[in-house]
């Protein structure tokens, strides 16, 4: 089977599902009220210089100031920052043109760069760059030389700055490539004019809406269909494709079936599963995904899989299956940053290498850049995956108001003991004779049942009368001790 791209459109939200061989591999979500910022270009103002971090904070008009590190400067700015002393290149109150390379995530502001890059279908234009190049995914040396010659010829005639030929440029004729580069140059010229006239904290250039970015970035030769369930969006995509990506026009079709588009490949169910910690493998083994602010951990277990000949073979087969499943889950959940994988311990070095190779091969289709280390002495695999936007969990969910995102609650017994300590504290501080305890149903039931004897002893010891009232809105950890 070939790959398909499904686009589900509702007024407040657009969702894109990338299906490979009938299996959901990736989900992209863009909400009208919270569009991603990656690719947007702003005229900002430096609000703080941090020499100790070799970074500056830039006000671009967002809720939180954005972060610009010396490593993300363009060539001209880097020359000013001699020996990476960023305070030599920037000062507080200085205006600066920046581009967002990473959306605000959690409590962190957006990540910025001054190395502006504007992508089109076949090229990426970098107006401040001094060199050009060709995508590493194009392996044919003769094709690489052809593309490089085409770019260099255009630069001699028309442009300053640099171009990078994208993977989609492979095999495209020179006329189409030159037209693409000319479009990018005109687009940048319009942005450059705005830089001179607009106020600071102004958006200079916004990236394309999600459906158009799909046509620009995600089109691959193996894609058989791009289905969209909105007639209006279909029309806009068709017009865009006809002008910029004509080879995709036959692939785009309007889906008008009564059955919801995402039900064709059980996409809704897969999204729900991607929000769960536990992922069950076909063999009976399972994996546990834990996402924290610092890193994501993946724990692999044999579970119900008992294997065949011996334990080592069972472990090896489970790890091989897990390696393929992990690569899919990383894309599906859009997990980025540091990722630690705890494969089941293997004794055979050959098995370790085969599992690593399986993981690397499965990650080849991933659009996000990733690096994988060797298996450590503890059997852990450390890897990184480039993170530019929020994970699926962070987009669709929020921390539990009861546990604060910890994933666990104090037991009723623990809360009861905390209440006893609070009663002692209140009585000794205020010398009262009667108290009212407000708590959840579970805690009040335990206080009047299993803890009744201890409560009676406490009342006699302190010489107070304690009343209770169950509050249905209270979580298992919440309580209040009120003086009467």
């Amino acid at each position: 089977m070939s790959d398909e791209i499904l686009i589900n459109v509702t007024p407040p939200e657009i969702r894109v599902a990338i299906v490979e061989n009938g299996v959901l591999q990736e989900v992209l979500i863009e909400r009208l009220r919270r569009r991603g910022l990656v690719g947007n270009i702003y005229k900002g103002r430096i609000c703080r210089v941090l020499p100790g971090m070799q970074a500056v904070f830039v006000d671009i008009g967002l809720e939180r100031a954005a972060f610009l590190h010396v490593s993300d400067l363009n060539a001209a700015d880097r020359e000013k920052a001699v020996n990476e002393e960023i305070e030599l290149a920037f000062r507080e109150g200085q205006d600066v043109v920046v581009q967002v390379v990473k959306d605000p995530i959690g409590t962190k502001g957006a990540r910025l760069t001054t190395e502006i890059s504007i992508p089109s279908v076949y090229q990426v234009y970098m107006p401040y760059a001094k060199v050009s190049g060709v995508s590493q995914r194009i392996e044919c040396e003769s094709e690489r030389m052809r593309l490089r010659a085409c770019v260099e010829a255009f630069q001699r005639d028309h442009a300053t700055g640099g171009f990078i030929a994208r993977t989609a440029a492979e095999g495209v004729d020179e006329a189409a490539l030159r037209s693409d580069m000319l479009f990018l140059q005109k687009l940048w010229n319009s942005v450059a004019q705005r830089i001179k006239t607009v106020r600071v904290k102004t958006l200079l250039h916004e990236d394309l809406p999600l459906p158009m970015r799909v046509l620009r970035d995600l089109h691959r030769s193996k894609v058989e269909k791009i289905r969209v369930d909105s007639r209006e969006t279909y029309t806009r995509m068709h017009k865009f494709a006809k002008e910029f990506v004509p080879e995709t026009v036959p692939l785009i079709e309007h889906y008008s079936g009564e059955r919801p588009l995402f039900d064709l490949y059980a996409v809704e169910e897969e999204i729900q599963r991607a929000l769960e910690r536990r992922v069950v493998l076909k063999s009976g083994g399972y994996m546990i995904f834990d996402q924290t602010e610092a890193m994501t951990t993946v724990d692999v277990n044999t579970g119900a899989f008992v294997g065949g000949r011996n334990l080592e073979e069972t472990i090896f087969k489970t790890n091989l299956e897990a390696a393929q499943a992990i690569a899919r889950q990383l894309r599906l959940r859009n997990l980025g940053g540091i990722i630690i994988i705890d494969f089941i311990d293997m004794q055979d070095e050959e098995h370790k290498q085969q599992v690593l190779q399986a993981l690397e091969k499965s990650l080849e289709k991933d659009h996000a850049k990733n690096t994988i280390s060797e298996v450590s002495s503890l059997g852990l695999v450390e890897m990184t995956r480039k993170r530019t936007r929020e994970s699926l969990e962070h987009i669709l969910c929020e921390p539990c108001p009861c546990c604060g995102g910890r994933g666990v609650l104090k037991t009723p017994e623990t809360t009861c003991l905390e209440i006893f300590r609070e009663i002692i504290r209140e009585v000794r501080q205020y010398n009262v004779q009667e108290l009212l305890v407000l708590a959840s149903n579970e805690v009040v039931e335990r206080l009047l049942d299993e803890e009744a004897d201890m409560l009676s002893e406490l009342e006699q010891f302190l010489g107070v009368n304690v009343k209770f009232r169950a509050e249905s809105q209270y979580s298992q950890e919440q309580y209040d001790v009120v003086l009467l």
Side-chain angles (χ1 to χ4, degrees):
M1 295 178 67
S2 298
D3 300 346
E4 291 190 27
I5 296 176
L6 312 178
I7 303 177
N8 168 236
V9 181
T10 55
E13 180 184 62
I14 297 175
R15 300 184 300 169
V16 174
I18 301 172
V19 179
E20 297 175 1
N21 297 322
V23 179
L24 178 66
Q25 297 291 336
E26 199 167 340
V27 176
L28 305 172
I29 298 176
E30 183 173 271
R31 290 179 172 170
L32 186 61
R33 296 178 182 174
R34 199 175 65 180
R35 280 194 64 183
L37 305 175
V38 173
N40 288 359
I41 302 173
Y42 293 85
K43 184 177 181 179
R45 177 164 289 167
I46 294 172
C47 55
R48 193 177 178 191
V49 179
L50 304 172
M53 295 179 64
Q54 288 303 297
V56 297
F57 282 104
V58 184
D59 186 356
I60 58 175
L62 303 180
E63 183 180 346
R64 291 187 296 272
F67 182 81
L68 172 63
H69 189 261
V70 69
S71 62
D72 295 314
L73 301 182
N74 61 40
D77 289 331
R78 201 173 293 120
E79 287 177 6
K80 296 177 187 176
V82 182
N83 297 323
E84 295 197 339
E85 299 292 334
I86 199 165
E87 64 270 27
L88 298 178
F90 298 109
R91 65 183 187 280
E92 288 189 19
Q94 179 182 340
D95 295 348
V96 59
V97 177
V98 291
Q99 186 172 35
V100 177
V101 293
K102 185 184 292 185
D103 279 329
I105 297 175
T107 59
K108 300 176 181 177
R111 181 80 179 250
L112 305 175
T113 181
T114 61
E115 185 63 273
I116 307 299
S117 62
I118 304 178
S120 66
V121 178
Y122 304 124
Q123 306 280 344
V124 176
Y125 179 48
M126 300 175 294
Y128 300 139
K130 297 181 179 179
V131 295
S132 296
V134 178
S135 168
Q136 293 182 351
R137 297 197 177 195
I138 299 178
E139 298 178 353
C140 176
E141 190 58 35
S142 60
E143 179 64 7
R144 294 179 65 85
M145 291 176 64
R146 183 188 77 88
L147 290 172
R148 190 179 297 277
C150 178
V151 168
E152 290 174 352
F154 180 86
Q155 286 179 299
R156 285 194 299 269
D157 298 337
H158 296 88
T160 58
F163 287 92
I164 295 179
R166 306 182 69 184
T167 309
E170 188 172 10
V172 175
D173 64 73
E174 185 173 343
L177 295 175
R178 291 179 68 87
S179 175
D180 199 49
M181 288 184 278
L182 193 60
F183 162 76
L184 284 172
Q185 189 184 36
K186 289 179 179 178
L187 177 60
W188 171 249
N189 288 339
S190 68
V191 173
Q193 288 299 317
R194 293 198 69 209
I195 292 172
K196 300 174 184 177
T197 58
V198 301
R199 298 179 178 180
V200 293
K201 296 187 284 187
T202 298
L203 175 64
L204 297 168
H205 170 73
E206 188 174 23
D207 203 4
L208 293 170
L210 181 57
M212 312 316 167
R213 294 204 307 272
V214 167
L215 292 176
R216 184 191 70 191
D217 300 336
L218 298 182
H219 167 62
R220 301 180 299 278
S221 58
K222 292 198 301 180
V223 173
E224 187 180 67
K225 290 181 182 177
I226 301 174
R227 299 182 179 182
V228 55
D229 60 8
S230 162
R231 171 66 68 178
E232 182 183 353
T233 304
Y234 163 78
T235 302
R236 292 205 308 267
M237 291 180 67
H238 195 274
K239 182 180 178 181
F240 178 87
K242 194 173 182 180
E243 184 174 357
F244 297 107
V245 209
E247 67 272 20
T248 66
V249 170
L251 306 180
I252 307 170
E253 66 175 46
H254 175 238
Y255 177 78
S256 57
E258 293 185 5
R259 189 181 179 192
L261 178 61
F262 272 23
D263 285 1
L264 295 181
Y265 294 105
V267 172
E268 301 287 9
E269 296 175 16
E270 287 296 327
I271 292 175
Q272 291 303 316
R273 290 196 192 102
L275 298 176
E276 298 174 359
R277 289 181 67 226
R278 186 184 178 107
V279 177
V280 179
L281 301 173
K282 291 182 179 179
S283 64
Y286 66 92
M287 304 178 296
I288 300 294
F289 283 76
D290 281 315
Q291 185 180 350
T292 68
E293 189 169 346
M295 68 180 70
T296 296
T297 62
V298 185
D299 183 30
V300 183
N301 300 277
T302 54
F305 181 49
V306 295
R309 292 178 296 177
N310 55 59
L311 178 60
E312 178 68 17
E313 193 68 23
T314 301
I315 291 172
F316 174 56
K317 288 182 178 179
T318 305
N319 284 340
L320 271 182
E321 185 183 4
Q324 298 174 7
I326 287 168
R328 173 176 176 259
Q329 289 295 324
L330 294 182
R331 286 181 65 189
L332 184 55
R333 296 167 185 249
N334 191 32
L335 297 172
I338 299 172
I339 299 163
I340 306 296
I341 305 172
D342 184 9
F343 285 109
I344 309 168
D345 289 343
M346 295 172 285
Q347 304 301 320
D348 192 320
E349 290 297 326
E350 181 64 26
H351 285 173
K352 293 179 182 179
Q353 291 304 315
Q354 288 186 45
V355 169
L356 265 184
Q357 290 169 8
L359 180 61
E360 290 171 350
K361 184 173 179 59
S362 299
L363 285 168
E364 285 178 356
K365 292 184 178 180
D366 195 347
H367 303 288
K369 183 180 179 181
N370 56 74
T371 57
I372 305 174
S373 72
E374 294 295 318
V375 180
S376 73
S377 58
L378 298 177
L380 305 176
V381 173
E382 300 172 9
M383 66 169 289
T384 60
R385 185 174 183 271
K386 187 175 181 181
R387 175 167 52 193
T388 57
R389 53 190 171 90
E390 296 268 23
S391 68
L392 187 65
E393 179 182 294
H394 285 162
I395 292 174
L396 301 180
C397 306
E398 64 180 16
C400 168
C402 296
C403 69
R406 300 196 317 271
V408 293
L409 285 172
K410 294 177 182 176
T411 64
E413 180 184 15
T414 299
T415 304
C416 288
L417 296 176
E418 288 183 359
I419 290 172
F420 290 157
R421 288 191 290 270
E422 184 62 23
I423 289 173
I424 294 172
R425 188 179 298 112
E426 295 287 341
V427 170
R428 287 179 176 172
Q429 186 172 355
Y430 297 106
N431 193 27
V432 294
Q433 278 75 48
E434 194 170 37
L435 295 168
L436 172 65
V437 174
L438 308 177
S440 67
N441 291 320
E442 297 84 358
V443 171
V444 171
E445 287 176 4
R446 185 174 182 93
L447 284 166
L448 298 177
D449 190 0
E450 288 99 323
E451 310 295 344
D453 292 342
M454 186 177 294
L455 176 63
S456 178
E457 291 179 13
L458 185 64
E459 287 179 316
Q460 290 179 10
F461 175 72
L462 296 175
V464 296
N465 180 37
V466 182
K467 296 181 179 179
F468 300 95
R469 189 168 77 204
E471 295 286 344
S472 59
Q473 300 300 317
Y474 277 35
S475 75
Q476 207 163 273
E477 294 186 349
Q478 286 179 287
Y479 65 87
D480 286 300
V481 178
V482 182
L483 309 181
L484 297 178

